[in-house]
Amino acid sequence: MAQVPQTFFDALAVRTWCGLALRALGRAREEIDAINVYPVADGDTGTNLYLTLESAATAVEAVFAGYETGTREPSLADAVHAMAHGALIGARGNSGTILAQLLRGMAQVLADTPGGDGSHVGGAGLRLALRRAADSARQAVAHPVEGTVLTVASAAAEAAEAAEGAEGDCGAVARAAYDGARTALAATPGQLPVLARAGVVDAGGRGLVAVLGALVEAFTGETVQEATAVREAPAVSQSPAAGETPGIPHDGEDGEDSEDSENADGGARKAHACVAAMTDAGPCADGSETAGPAYEVIYLLEAGDAAVARLRERLDALGDSLVMVGGDGLWNIHVHVDDAGAAVEAGVEAGRPYRIRITHFGLGDVHTGGERHPRERVQRAVVAVVPGEGLAGLYTEAGATTVLARPGEPPASGELVQAVRRAHAREVVLLPNDAELRHTAAAAAEQARAEGIRVALIPTRSAVQGIAALAVHEPERRFDEDVVQMTAAAGATRYAEVVVAEHRSWTTAGICQAGDVLGLIDGDVAVIGPDVTATAATVLDRMLQAGGELVTLVVGDDAPETIAEHLDTRVRESYLAVDTVVYRGGRQGTLLLIGVE
């Protein structure tokens, strides 16, 4: 449905823009992944941009949901601060981290633009926001390189500033920024030799063009022309024709009748082939030709400005592709290094790092110069969400592809889709292992099906139900039969968890106080007590009153050391023919998970 045109930027425009941008990146994701050759040809720029924007859009939707029952609408400041914060905490990869800083820069201006009434800004405010975005993103990168998304962002800001007769019209400013970005994107192969050799434009810049195209649509209701193909590269000494971008048809080009459009898939394959054939001659940020670091390290960091400044110097000495975005005590750190431990230790010295992600670029990637052979799809795989590192190891040993759900940080649907793709199977069984993730998992399954993957979603509500399902999984069976058996095993497993109450509240078992130990059976509070082990024993007794043959205990790091031994002894002494198995769950957010089959 076309958007209603509007000339100013308010909270609703932020919401609309985020939704349109997410859809645009979703459509372009595979193409952007395919042309990703700089700074590392790991084929994930489109996915990282999508996941970053998804986090931003989710945060904006949460703000609007919070105002649904009230009489006041969210302000522009509410919306842009949510957008920036969501992008910051959800930023993925080099490209996503830079996008987060671009959105943060815009938010800083839009939330406090002189001359506005606090509810909206006009074209002049949008100009300032685009300029702040480009400048702050460039400052966040330790060694800015031209021919990248930074160049495209600067061009967008310059074009917006030069737009004539658009003082109060955000649509005109957005259109000028989009056109400027598109032209700059066309020139990126002439600025980075690695792009010219691969025959592609910069992937991050291509993503930014999609986001700016969504901004145009949010204000004007007009859909901009999107990329449809990856074209073959000109020679390094050549530059694209003015206004003509590899991967983006120029104005007036009939995409349906063009030879390039007919061979769009082939162009993408050629880009992939070029990435695969690249050796360690890929350029570094300083223009030298050498192999790159082995690891990508990303984490959120709570630290002051002075500590972050020292961290910047230290990480810059450790590796490359350093991007540090954020402020006001919360930062997102991204760097490529050979010593991942040293990068994390530097964060510990600076403040409190968390949500740490370390990715090994691996043997045979573009850094090492090894040849990449397309991996053949397996017939069937299991993808599971797990709440702790211990269970992640258990599920992985059983052959599942895992998505780690940290306490208070449930995975987004994009992360589940990425895991399904990573499983590289024709058929996938998806185990969300959390009742709250049912809709998220359903959205991910639908997306994966649209990509031609057969997906069955088993609505497991706890990791212990997932363990039961995985125990009866047999890849050799027919898919439908396997899903039925796994579903039956999960459904026959009652689940419980033992946690500590964070505040006083009403429960199905009465009123609890902060610090009380709660025993939840099948999602409802059944026991309130002062002691962890005693409460767990009461919960287990109630579960076994209905019978059972196998008790599964998943013990968290913060549980008493003797709790597993105590409960095992209790089962052996009080219940005949009932076995107990114990796993270590690590930092799983709960003291104890219990399953009874």
Side-chain angles (χ1 to χ4, degrees):
M1 180 182 296
Q3 302 297 319
V4 178
Q6 64 180 75
T7 60
F8 53 84
F9 210 155
D10 61 3
L12 183 58
V14 175
R15 185 187 197 182
T16 302
W17 177 33
C18 286
L20 291 171
L22 187 62
R23 287 194 285 275
L25 287 174
R27 291 190 297 268
R29 181 193 60 77
E30 289 187 358
E31 178 200 333
I32 297 173
D33 282 347
I35 65 174
N36 172 201
V37 298
Y38 183 87
V40 177
D42 48 357
D44 63 357
T45 290
T47 299
N48 287 337
L49 288 170
Y50 180 88
L51 292 174
T52 302
L53 210 290
E54 182 182 45
S55 182
T58 299
V60 172
E61 288 300 322
V63 166
F64 274 84
Y67 281 89
E68 284 181 355
T69 57
T71 58
R72 189 169 72 88
E73 293 291 324
S75 68
L76 175 60
D78 292 333
V80 295
H81 282 151
M83 174 185 71
H85 182 73
L88 177 66
I89 64 174
R92 298 300 187 88
N94 186 74
S95 55
T97 308
I98 293 175
L99 176 61
Q101 188 68 357
L102 288 168
L103 296 180
R104 177 179 171 82
M106 290 188 69
Q108 289 173 330
V109 172
L110 295 172
D112 188 24
T113 299
D117 64 1
S119 64
H120 67 271
V121 300
L126 180 55
R127 280 199 189 94
L128 293 174
L130 290 168
R131 169 50 60 192
R132 176 72 67 84
D135 291 347
S136 61
R138 191 169 286 269
Q139 292 165 5
V141 177
H143 301 285
V145 176
E146 297 307 323
T148 65
V149 64
L150 300 177
T151 305
V152 176
S154 294
E158 292 166 5
E161 291 168 340
E164 297 182 0
E167 279 301 316
D169 187 354
C170 284
V173 173
R175 171 66 71 175
Y178 171 75
D179 290 341
R182 200 162 173 265
T183 300
L185 182 63
T188 56
Q191 295 170 300
L192 269 181
V194 65
L195 300 179
R197 287 198 298 270
V200 297
V201 294
D202 178 66
R206 170 67 184 89
L208 179 57
V209 167
V211 171
L212 290 173
L215 186 63
V216 174
E217 185 176 355
F219 289 123
T220 68
E222 300 172 3
T223 303
V224 299
Q225 193 172 19
E226 292 189 2
T228 58
V230 180
R231 300 185 179 182
E232 295 191 48
V236 175
S237 60
Q238 296 176 350
S239 297
E244 187 171 333
T245 307
I248 301 182
H250 60 76
D251 291 337
E253 177 178 352
D254 187 347
E256 292 184 0
D257 295 334
S258 70
E259 182 178 346
D260 287 326
S261 178
E262 292 173 359
N263 293 288
D265 291 340
R269 286 194 296 271
K270 289 174 183 176
H272 271 307
C274 183
V275 172
M278 288 177 63
T279 66
D280 55 6
C284 293
D286 60 2
S288 63
E289 308 270 335
T290 184
Y295 297 94
E296 177 185 60
V297 178
I298 305 174
Y299 51 81
L300 292 178
L301 178 71
E302 293 178 356
D305 291 351
V308 169
R310 292 191 296 270
L311 176 64
R312 184 184 181 104
E313 294 180 1
R314 176 140 181 220
L315 292 180
D316 192 25
L318 284 174
D320 61 27
S321 296
L322 174 60
V323 185
M324 302 176 65
V325 305
D328 302 321
L330 180 62
W331 302 80
N332 192 306
I333 311 298
H334 170 280
V335 67
H336 294 172
V337 294
D338 282 319
D339 189 345
V344 175
E345 289 172 7
V348 172
E349 293 178 6
R352 187 179 81 87
Y354 60 103
R355 292 188 70 171
I356 301 168
R357 294 186 178 91
I358 300 174
T359 302
H360 182 219
F361 291 125
L363 299 175
D365 68 9
V366 294
H367 286 325
T368 63
E371 183 180 358
R372 284 185 176 180
H373 298 283
R375 182 163 61 98
E376 185 175 350
R377 287 185 181 274
V378 298
Q379 182 60 33
R380 190 175 307 160
V382 175
V383 173
V385 180
V386 291
E389 295 87 347
L391 279 179
L394 173 67
Y395 272 75
T396 300
E397 288 177 6
T401 297
T402 61
V403 178
L404 188 61
R406 297 169 178 82
E409 301 171 5
S413 63
E415 292 180 80
L416 300 187
V417 174
Q418 191 176 23
V420 170
R421 296 187 188 115
R422 194 168 69 246
H424 206 62
R426 298 182 182 87
E427 301 168 340
V428 171
V429 179
L430 182 56
L431 307 175
N433 291 339
D434 187 336
E436 298 298 323
L437 289 178
R438 184 181 64 177
H439 296 300
T440 300
E446 193 63 31
Q447 173 64 33
R449 292 183 189 115
E451 297 177 9
I453 304 171
R454 189 179 184 187
V455 180
L457 171 60
I458 299 178
T460 48
R461 294 174 290 174
S462 171
V464 291
Q465 287 189 325
I467 292 172
L470 199 56
V472 300
H473 168 54
E474 291 185 13
E476 295 77 17
R477 269 194 303 232
R478 288 179 55 252
F479 185 63
D480 292 339
E481 292 177 358
D482 198 27
V483 171
V484 167
Q485 292 300 318
M486 294 177 71
T487 303
T493 303
R494 301 189 67 197
Y495 66 95
E497 58 184 291
V498 178
V499 299
V500 176
E502 296 182 354
H503 48 76
R504 184 178 187 271
S505 63
W506 291 87
T507 76
T508 51
I511 300 175
C512 72
Q513 307 294 330
D516 282 349
V517 180
L518 307 180
L520 291 82
I521 299 178
D522 295 335
D524 294 322
V525 177
V527 181
I528 302 175
D531 180 75
V532 174
T533 301
T535 301
T538 302
V539 168
L540 185 54
D541 285 340
R542 291 195 183 183
M543 296 178 75
L544 286 172
Q545 284 176 1
E549 298 175 354
L550 177 66
V551 172
T552 301
L553 304 176
V554 183
V555 184
D557 282 350
D558 296 327
E561 293 184 3
T562 60
I563 189 170
E565 181 182 355
H566 178 85
L567 295 177
D568 183 34
T569 300
R570 187 180 188 87
V571 171
R572 282 189 287 105
E573 293 179 350
S574 303
Y575 302 94
L576 296 176
V578 177
D579 296 323
T580 303
V581 60
V582 179
Y583 301 111
R584 296 291 169 180
R587 292 171 294 177
Q588 61 184 19
T590 59
L591 298 173
L592 180 69
L593 293 174
I594 303 174
V596 174
E597 302 176 47

